[in-house]
Amino acid sequence: MFRDGPFDDSQREPTHFDEIVDLNYDEELGIVKGQERVNANLAFMYNQVVSAAKKPELFMGCPLYPGEDGFCDGPGTIELAPHNTIHTWVGLESNPNQENMGAFYSAGFDPCFYSNHANIDRIWDIWRDIHDMQMPINDTVWLDSHFYFYNENLQLIKMKVCDVLNTTKMGYIYEKTDLTWLDKRPKPFVSPQIAKHTLKIRENYYKETSRLYLLSNDIKGRSLENPMTIKDEMKEEEEVLVIYGVIINRDVKVKFDVYVNLVNETNVGPSYREFAGTFVGLPQMGMKSSRTINRKSSIKLGISELLNDLEADRDESIWVTILPRTTSCVDATFDGVRIEYMR
């Protein structure tokens, strides 16, 4: 982080100055160190950009349209993390809401805000190359959406989304760097056969006791029926895990991780294939409106590759675990979990 001169900000977490960033960071449960963190970061980037984000909506989030009926709150993988987690990593933890970077209303006061967003733009450019999607969305409502800015001459100008999709036309390109994380596809922590045997015993137990959810140390898990197994003619469709009807306290940071066929809840993290993704919500004090207050969110995670690696792509059901990563999750609720297919 910039620590001197005009790019410095006094409201940054000092214990992170000499540390490698933790891209799946949560301050309440501690952080991994050294090479373990590097390995976790590489596997995490693979999941967020490649495995869980093979479709535009999964990476960029749900489409938002004008009007009451056009509202949606379903952020994509890139917004949830590393975007949101970088905000919480930089923000000063002793401040009420980790200002400056840790809260929406104050993040722009820290120059790191702009380098973080430039990097997200770079990752978006990388994602388009990886998935061969130079024009990922052809929706004219999105392409013609416009915003007003002041240019370098202090003149108010209007720019459309379609005007900023090609960085070359805007006068810049991103330097090509070694994307080490592209080769860091994670492996299962437990042998898939052992995991499925263990989870079958667990599922039968909860069926006998008429309990839908497993509640242990604030871990919520459930067996989820797969509406149809992957067949040859469905290879172009992405199997998507959807956690819907999520209600959180928008005045505080909220984070929970999602796992599939997780057996040992003490050995968790993005280094293992069982990790499906994360939800990270930043405090939004002063930014509430009639469109956002008390609205329900959703999280969609592509899991076709994950299920294949867990040898569960043809199974009739999978076990989904939602692991709270902040104490604020005690106030979080969700309506349910389902599987969808996305072209």
Side-chain angles (χ1 to χ4, degrees):
M1 288 187 286
F2 306 110
R3 295 170 60 179
D4 297 299
F7 297 112
D8 188 24
D9 182 63
S10 62
Q11 304 302 302
R12 293 176 182 163
E13 179 52 42
T15 62
H16 295 165
F17 284 168
D18 298 316
E19 294 282 346
I20 298 172
V21 65
D22 185 346
L23 297 179
N24 194 37
Y25 175 62
D26 62 89
E27 71 281 0
E28 296 185 22
L29 294 180
I31 54 179
V32 295
K33 297 280 188 178
Q35 189 60 43
E36 183 182 0
R37 182 184 300 172
V38 172
N39 294 339
N41 281 343
L42 294 174
F44 184 75
M45 284 299 296
Y46 180 89
N47 186 78
Q48 298 298 96
V49 182
V50 181
S51 179
K54 294 185 177 181
K55 302 295 181 181
E57 182 177 340
L58 299 177
F59 183 74
M60 301 172 65
C62 63
L64 181 66
Y65 292 100
E68 188 70 16
D69 294 336
F71 178 84
C72 78
D73 187 356
T77 58
I78 190 64
E79 179 180 351
L80 293 169
H83 171 264
N84 284 359
T85 46
I86 293 295
H87 275 271
T88 57
W89 172 265
V90 176
L92 185 60
E93 293 180 10
S94 60
N95 284 339
N97 297 287
Q98 288 189 254
E99 291 89 349
N100 284 325
M101 273 285 281
F104 272 115
Y105 83 94
S106 58
F109 293 128
D110 189 329
C112 273
F113 174 89
Y114 303 96
S115 56
N116 181 33
H117 280 253
N119 188 48
I120 295 301
D121 185 57
R122 182 185 70 90
I123 296 173
W124 181 65
D125 197 58
I126 292 170
W127 175 85
R128 291 194 299 170
D129 286 340
I130 291 173
H131 298 284
D132 193 22
M133 293 187 185
Q134 294 308 306
M135 183 61 72
I137 299 176
N138 294 316
D139 191 332
T140 55
V141 175
W142 182 67
L143 293 172
D144 292 336
S145 295
H146 61 270
F147 305 87
Y148 291 95
F149 299 95
Y150 284 98
N151 65 12
E152 67 276 12
N153 298 316
L154 297 182
Q155 296 172 322
L156 188 64
I157 61 172
K158 181 174 76 172
M159 298 189 70
K160 295 181 179 180
V161 170
C162 60
D163 296 329
V164 296
L165 295 180
N166 189 317
T167 61
T168 303
K169 291 182 179 179
M170 296 179 66
Y172 70 95
I173 59 173
Y174 288 106
E175 179 183 2
K176 299 299 182 182
T177 58
D178 183 19
L179 303 177
T180 308
W181 46 267
L182 277 179
D183 298 322
K184 298 301 180 180
R185 183 169 175 169
K187 294 179 171 54
F189 179 77
V190 176
S191 163
Q193 293 303 317
I194 294 176
K196 286 193 281 188
H197 176 72
T198 304
L199 293 170
K200 189 64 177 178
I201 296 174
R202 181 183 296 178
E203 181 181 355
N204 290 336
Y205 169 76
Y206 285 104
K207 281 182 178 179
E208 292 174 0
T209 56
S210 299
R211 291 182 60 184
L212 178 62
Y213 291 98
L214 165 67
L215 298 176
S216 174
N217 297 325
D218 292 327
I219 296 170
K220 293 185 178 181
R222 67 166 293 183
S223 175
L224 178 65
E225 290 188 359
N226 193 342
M228 50 184 172
T229 55
I230 297 293
K231 299 179 180 179
D232 291 340
E233 62 268 22
M234 295 168 54
K235 287 183 178 178
E236 292 185 0
E237 293 186 334
E238 178 70 11
E239 193 161 2
V240 179
L241 177 64
V242 184
I243 302 173
Y244 59 94
V246 179
I247 298 179
I248 60 173
N249 182 350
R250 297 183 183 274
D251 286 333
V252 296
K253 176 192 170 184
V254 178
K255 185 180 191 301
F256 60 80
D257 290 345
V258 182
Y259 294 84
V260 172
N261 286 2
L262 181 67
V263 174
N264 188 342
E265 290 85 4
T266 62
N267 290 285
V268 294
S271 296
Y272 305 116
R273 182 74 279 193
E274 290 86 349
F275 177 84
T278 187
F279 179 95
V280 184
L282 299 181
Q284 299 183 21
M285 306 81 60
M287 297 187 65
K288 295 177 182 178
S289 69
S290 59
R291 297 195 88 198
T292 60
I293 192 168
N294 296 327
R295 293 286 189 149
K296 295 181 178 181
S297 303
S298 64
I299 174 174
K300 294 185 177 183
L301 304 168
I303 59 171
S304 290
E305 185 180 288
L306 177 150
L307 292 180
N308 183 68
D309 292 347
L310 296 179
E311 300 178 14
D313 53 317
R314 295 181 180 271
D315 289 356
E316 294 181 355
S317 64
I318 58 175
W319 190 271
V320 177
T321 300
I322 300 174
L323 178 61
R325 303 297 277 175
T326 57
T327 56
S328 56
C329 284
V330 69
D331 297 320
T333 62
F334 58 92
D335 291 341
V337 184
R338 63 173 178 258
I339 286 179
E340 296 179 354
Y341 287 84
M342 185 179 295
R343 284 193 176 276

